[in-house]
Amino acid sequence: MHTIVVLLRGINVGGRNKIAMRDLQQAFTDLGFIEPTTFIQSGNVVATSRRANGPALVRTLERGLSAAFGYAARVVVLDLAQMRTVVRQIPKDWNVDDASMRYNVIFTTAAITPKELAKRVAPKPDIESLKAGTHALYWSAPFATVGKTAMIKLSAHADYGELTIRNLRTTQKLLALMQAHASG
């Protein structure tokens, strides 16, 4: 049995692809996942899977969610070890309680690695920081200058469909949920 987190991209944003979390939990149950739990409305699901994480699991999820909700589902799936790596690689100077900063963890689909995405984006080092990790890209900037950053324009980037973004607090909470789920 494998504890996984599934990060859905593009749901409940701007009134598009609206999915109620109880319906999302039911869809995961229908797809054979055990004890699916959602966290906030942005499409985060922690569950137990009989299958290990990999391309076949991603395909199963994307097909099943697309059929259940009538949209072209895209997901990023991480197992517990991968999510631990994501959190361990968070830059040491990030502080979840620093309200002056925006900290985003950018998760990529299998179509592009965090390192490849970092090479394709030209951050402005004087106002933003970008670091590629094993399973995610770490971006930060002061809220005061966030509108001037290169990363704020990421939604217009050619690779935008291959990523999903979570803030620092959500990323940390998802790992805690996965650990609690795994310990039963």
Side-chain angles (χ1 to χ4, degrees):
M1 299 302 244
H2 307 274
T3 300
I4 60 168
V5 64
V6 180
L7 308 173
L8 284 75
R9 76 166 313 282
I11 70 161
N12 298 339
V13 178
R16 292 189 357 220
N17 301 326
K18 293 182 86 172
I19 299 174
M21 293 302 99
R22 69 182 168 282
D23 295 340
L24 186 57
Q25 279 181 289
Q26 186 60 54
F28 270 77
T29 299
D30 294 347
L31 289 169
F33 293 89
I34 301 162
E35 297 180 7
T37 305
T38 60
F39 177 68
I40 65 176
Q41 296 292 318
S42 59
N44 307 293
V45 181
V46 173
T48 299
S49 173
R50 289 179 179 88
R51 294 175 16 192
N53 187 15
L57 181 62
V58 170
R59 279 192 304 275
T60 296
L61 282 161
E62 289 180 345
R63 287 178 187 149
L65 294 170
S66 295
F69 299 108
Y71 82 110
R74 296 299 309 274
V75 300
V76 173
V77 181
L78 295 113
D79 62 32
L80 185 54
Q82 291 168 325
M83 194 62 165
R84 283 182 176 137
T85 298
V86 167
V87 172
R88 189 178 62 252
Q89 291 178 344
I90 290 170
K92 299 301 178 218
D93 62 338
W94 282 23
N95 177 356
V96 73
D97 296 319
D98 184 353
S100 71
M101 294 292 292
R102 183 171 193 169
Y103 300 111
N104 283 343
V105 181
I106 303 167
F107 297 91
T108 58
T109 68
I112 185 170
T113 68
K115 189 179 273 190
E116 290 169 335
L117 180 60
K119 288 178 184 176
R120 295 179 190 181
V121 177
K124 299 176 182 176
D126 54 324
I127 59 171
E128 63 190 322
S129 174
L130 188 65
K131 173 191 162 199
T134 307
H135 304 290
L137 194 62
Y138 303 90
W139 172 80
S140 64
F143 270 108
T145 58
V146 79
K148 298 176 184 175
T149 66
M151 293 299 284
I152 202 70
K153 297 176 185 151
L154 196 57
S155 63
H157 196 276
D159 295 312
Y160 186 67
E162 303 303 330
L163 56 95
T164 188
I165 303 168
R166 301 298 185 270
N167 68 32
L168 175 58
R169 189 175 307 277
T170 297
T171 301
Q172 291 172 326
K173 179 65 175 177
L174 288 171
L175 175 58
L177 291 170
M178 290 177 79
Q179 291 171 326
H181 198 87
S183 66

